[in-house]
């Protein structure tokens, strides 16, 4: 199995490397140091062929005894055979001399500091020079790695070395006293002229001095960061021919304000230009980006900020890559922003379209920054973007697609920096190209083992916990006095044991946060992180667990303690509800009378954000149907899947949220069900929800599940027509969407009010089914409306109709590809609503068993859905395993 994957992986990479890259290096040397010349396998997993340095023509007249080859005594999962498993060890100074053409060259060193046969790589200190540049001084690969996140096993150092007046690049390794030096691999790649250093006038600004800056030819560089902003890591064989690696930028975003990563760009063709030729960066860099959030008001109040740990006492070169790929931004003045580097204005009123000349045309800008010597050798480099204030831009927003940061050699030619202090406490990271890899790359066997094991562990814990909880509850119930702020009925058994149970339990169950944790997550509930608000208080976006997890934090107005009991009851209820189509509650905080709920964060925001009054592209019909099915399932679960039916009361398109896989999740359930605190929430929000309220409920003041069905029907029409549920200024019949849609339906003119973006997308039969279903939901009499069960099945049927039509269309137009697609579509007909993948589906199953599901019929039919869904999910999972491997190139 493992071998098969590697084999396949190899094929994939060979193919991708075999493609015609925009640049073909004139100098290209790959040395697998210490490899035996008889070794047959010098092809690395990324498909590149390496050559041994044994008796190499590159080894300059060194004495035979100066070096020897050695083999690593173990192979970490993240470490590839070539070039890491063999090393050349130097007892004395040793020089490789490479013939080169004039220009700047990439020089990459590969180090794997472990125990070797007859040599200990972990205790090795050495210096490396390239011509007259000191690149590394008394360098320890082991110490450098020890302070990195995730404890990677190997590292790559990338330099750019000038070779202008010579035809040789001499690279020398010199061991520090009493140790030996070593290296596993050396890579030398040329680059196009003027790639990073361009002596044209004013091409580079010195930040803070407003003067042009010229980089002398004799300068050497070390790459300290190279990021694919808003996208995934891009491996070296996917680069433009220079084998650069571009890492995901998410680890470097400061605070919780991560902004947006619009997906629209993925399908555009990047139009390279004379100013930005195709070799500058691969198209994937320009197609992904990070922008700010959708709301201009929020954007004006925060900076999109990255922070980096850098060495003081050097000049840095920052290259920022930009490209507008969103359809909405096509003209100058639409997205204008300021660029701050280290809190100084590097660029005022940056306008990508102005620079590039149009949508999808990439452009880059270079800035030089002096980071002066300070007491601390490590400093933080800040990069921040903010919408320009004085321009009155149409979209208050900013964008960045890619980022490269280089450290420039000092005037004596040196790039050397001290080794990091090997302190046990977590210290600032010293990132280098390729550090992210080690964190993510795990063998598939490991993945499976860990998954199975943790699933079992989680199950055991849940069962033990439920038993325990039942006992606790019984004890509590018998006690007469109920402490005011006791959380005895919550999943955390008691205050004192809570902390330990938190660390043991998977986040499936409710977790208790301290107020300090949540203040850290939101920079003390800073307004810039507010993503929503209502009568109950504000909702913030925040990052917990050291920034690794983004969550939504709902802080209920704590001024009235009246609602505290309701809050507790509510929480007990919420913590038991688990469904793939409900936004899950992660935890809560009750410190100092706070009432805070922590939910999973939904990356794509609300359904309404994708329907109208939005910058988001219109959704295709099939996706809309899938979203409706998901939301309907969530509601069905609330109504029929739990012991006591829960009426949501506030179903609307802004309470249906979407995760990154477009799985729809109902939010705000239960909160409006009980007690005066949450009642007030309903009344204050009535204005916003007015188009959704069941007229029968108005008349009779009686709340039933059918009220939710009515509101859901309104949502269905919103999805179909992409308009608000209530538009006051219109002619009387048209003001209320539900009423207007019913009139149109009765007249047989429903297609006239369908969202124009859906023209040709939605099949007539599907429209008929969908229209009939939605109409039945918004009937005046509750008894004439269907149950949520029926709504789910009706929607699933509509989806089948739609897919069948699409299949027919594909057959008519299509070649092989269409046929293949349609057969996979059939197999997952009903499961698409759960497109989130296998893991979510299976949690849902577990919970259905644990949290008493009613209705044999429902759960039976559900389980067939789940089983189809699961096989679909497995496919997704194995694909992601593959892609992890694919990303692993050359590490
Ligand atoms: C090299 O670095 C190590 C650890 O930082 C230090 O103990 C040693 O003295 C250094 N050697 C030289 C020659 O600077
Ligand atoms: C590189 O090494 C060769 C052989 O040792 C020597 O002839 C040449 O001058 C060196 N070049 C530089 C630039 O140091
Ligand atoms: C991508 O763009 C092409 C051409 O513009 C279009 O035919 C295709 O449908 C698009 N694909 C997606 C997934 O949007
Ligand atoms: C960047 O900011 C984060 C907080 O978001 C902080 O934890 C981290 O240490 C900072 N990194 C550097 C290099 O300053
Ligand atoms: C954004 O960053 C700049 C430079 O550090 C600073 O002057 C400005 O106040 C920041 N703006 C906000 C809203 O934080
Ligand atoms: C620069 O800005 C960052 C965040 O915007 C802030 O944390 C830092 O203290 C500022 N540094 C200086 C020197 O003002």
């Amino acid at each position: 199995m493992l071998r098969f994957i590697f084999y396949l992986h190899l094929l994939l990479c060979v193919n991708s490397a075999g493609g015609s890259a925009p640049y073909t290096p004139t100098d290209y040397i790959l040395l697998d140091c210490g490899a035996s010349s008889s070794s047959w396998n010098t092809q690395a997993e990324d498909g590149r062929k390496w050559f041994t340095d044994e008796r190499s023509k590159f080894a300059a007249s060194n004495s035979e005894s100066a070096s020897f080859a050695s083999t690593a005594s173990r192979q970490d999962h993240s470490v590839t055979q070539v070039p890491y498993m063999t090393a050349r060890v130097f007892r004395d100074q040793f020089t490789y001399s490479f013939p080169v053409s004039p220009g700047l060259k990439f020089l990459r060193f590969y180090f794997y500091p472990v125990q070797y046969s007859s040599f200990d790589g972990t205790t090795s200190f050495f210096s490396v020079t390239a011509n007259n540049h000191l690149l590394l001084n008394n360098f320890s690969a082991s110490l450098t790695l020890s302070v990195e996140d995730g404890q990677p096993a190997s590292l790559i150092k990338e330099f750019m070395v000038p070779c202008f007046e010579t035809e040789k690049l001499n690279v020398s390794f010199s061991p520090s006293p009493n140790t030996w030096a070593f290296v596993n691999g050396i890579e030398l790649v040329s680059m196009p002229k003027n790639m990073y250093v361009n002596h044209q006038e004013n091409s580079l600004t010195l930040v803070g001095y407003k003067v042009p800056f010229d980089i002398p030819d004799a300068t050497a560089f070390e790459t300290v960061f190279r990021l694919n902003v808003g996208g995934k890591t891009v491996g070296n064989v996917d680069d433009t021919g220079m084998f650069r690696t571009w890492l995901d930028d998410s680890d470097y975003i400061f605070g919780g304000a991560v902004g947006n990563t619009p997906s629209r760009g993925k399908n555009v063709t990047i139009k390279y230009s004379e100013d930005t030729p195709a070799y500058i960066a691969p198209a994937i860099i320009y197609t992904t980006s990070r922008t700010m959030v959708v709301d201009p008001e929020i954007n004006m109040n925060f900076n999109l900020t990255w922070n980096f740990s850098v060495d003081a006492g050097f000049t840095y070169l920052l290259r920022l890559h930009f490209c507008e790929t969103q359809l909405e931004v096509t003209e100058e003045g639409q997205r204008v922003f300021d660029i701050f580097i280290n809190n100084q204005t590097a660029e005022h009123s940056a306008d990508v379209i102005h620079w590039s000349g149009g949508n999808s045309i990439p452009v880059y800008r270079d800035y030089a920054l002096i980071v002066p010597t300070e007491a601390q050798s490590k400093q933080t480099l800040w990069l921040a973007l903010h919408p320009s204030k004085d321009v009155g831009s149409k979209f208050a927003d900013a964008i960045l697609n890619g980022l490269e940061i280089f450290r420039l050699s000092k005037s004596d030619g040196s790039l050397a920096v001290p080794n990091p202090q090997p302190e046990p406490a977590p210290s600032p990271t010293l990132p280098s190209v390729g550090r992210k890899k080690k964190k993510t790359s795990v063998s598939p066997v490991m993945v499976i083992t860990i998954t199975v094991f943790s699933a079992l562990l989680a199950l055991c814990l849940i069962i033990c916990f439920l038993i325990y909880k039942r006992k606790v509850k019984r004890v509590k119930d018998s006690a007469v006095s109920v402490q005011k702020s006791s959380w005895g009925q919550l999943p955390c058994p008691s205050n004192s044991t809570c902390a330990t149970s938190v660390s043991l339990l998977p986040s499936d169950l409710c977790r208790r946060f301290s107020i300090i944790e949540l203040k850290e997550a939101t920079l003390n509930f800073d307004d810039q992180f507010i993503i929503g608000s209502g009568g109950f208080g504000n909702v913030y976006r925040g990052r917990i667990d050291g920034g690794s997890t983004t969550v939504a934090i709902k802080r209920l107005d704590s001024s009235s303690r009246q609602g505290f009991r309701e809050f507790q009851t509510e929480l007990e209820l919420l913590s038991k509800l688990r469904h793939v189509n409900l936004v899950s509650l992660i935890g809560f905080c009750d410190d100092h009378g706070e009432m805070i709920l922590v939910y999973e964060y939904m990356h794509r925001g609300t359904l309404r954000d994708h329907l109208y009054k939005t910058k988001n592209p219109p959704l295709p019909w099939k996706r809309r149907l899938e979203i409706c099915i998901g939301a309907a399932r969530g509601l069905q679960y609330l109504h029929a899947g739990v012991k006591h039916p829960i009426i949501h009361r506030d179903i609307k398109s802004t309470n249906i949220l979407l995760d990154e896989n477009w799985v729809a999740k109902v939010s705000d359930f239960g909160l409006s069900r009980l007690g005066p605190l949450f009642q007030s929430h309903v009344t204050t929000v009535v204005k916003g929800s007015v188009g959704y309220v069941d007229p029968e409920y108005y008349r009779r003041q009686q709340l039933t599940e059918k009220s939710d069905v009515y509101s859901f029907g309104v949502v269905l029409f919103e999805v179909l027509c992409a308009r608000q549920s209530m538009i006051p200024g219109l002619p009387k019949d048209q003001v209320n969407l539900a009423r207007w849609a019913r009139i149109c339906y009765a007249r047989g003119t429903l297609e006239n009010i369908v969202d124009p973006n859906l023209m040709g997308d939605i099949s007539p039969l599907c429209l008929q089914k969908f229209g009939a279903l939605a109409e039945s939901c918004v009937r005046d009499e509750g008894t004439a409306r269907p149950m949520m069960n029926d709504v789910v099945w009706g929607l699933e049927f509509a989806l089948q109709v739609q897919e069948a039509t699409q299949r027919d269309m594909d057959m008519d137009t299509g070649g092989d590809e269409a046929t293949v697609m349609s057969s996979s579509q059939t197999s997952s007909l009903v499961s698409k609503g759960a497109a989130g993948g296998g893991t979510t589906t299976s949690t849902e199953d577990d919970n259905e068993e644990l949290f008493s599901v009613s209705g044999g019929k429902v759960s039976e039919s559900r389980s067939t859905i789940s089983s189809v869904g699961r096989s679909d999910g497995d496919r997704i999972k194995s694909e992601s395993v593959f892609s992890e491997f694919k990303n692993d190139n050359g590490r």
Side-chain angles (χ1 to χ4, degrees), residues 294 531-532 602-614 616 619 627 652-659 662 664-665 667 718:
V294 181
I531 50 175
M602 296 284 115
H603 288 267
R604 294 189 191 270
T606 71
L607 171 58
R608 180 177 299 175
D609 277 346
H610 295 273
L611 291 178
Y612 48 85
K613 289 194 172 170
T614 172
N616 292 319
L619 297 179
I627 290 169
K652 52 183 175 179
S653 53
T654 47
N655 272 343
I656 294 169
L657 306 183
L658 301 167
D659 76 1
W662 298 102
K665 306 205 179 209
S667 76
E718 257 183 290

Side-chain angles (χ1 to χ4, degrees), residues 252-256 307-310 379-382 428-429:
Y252 304 101
I253 293 172
F254 173 68
N307 65 349
F308 304 94
S309 169
V310 297
Q379 296 289 316
T380 301
L381 188 159
W382 300 90
T429 58

Side-chain angles (χ1 to χ4, degrees), residues 264 266-269:
R264 144 82 205 166
K266 301 222 170 88
N267 196 23
V268 299
T269 308

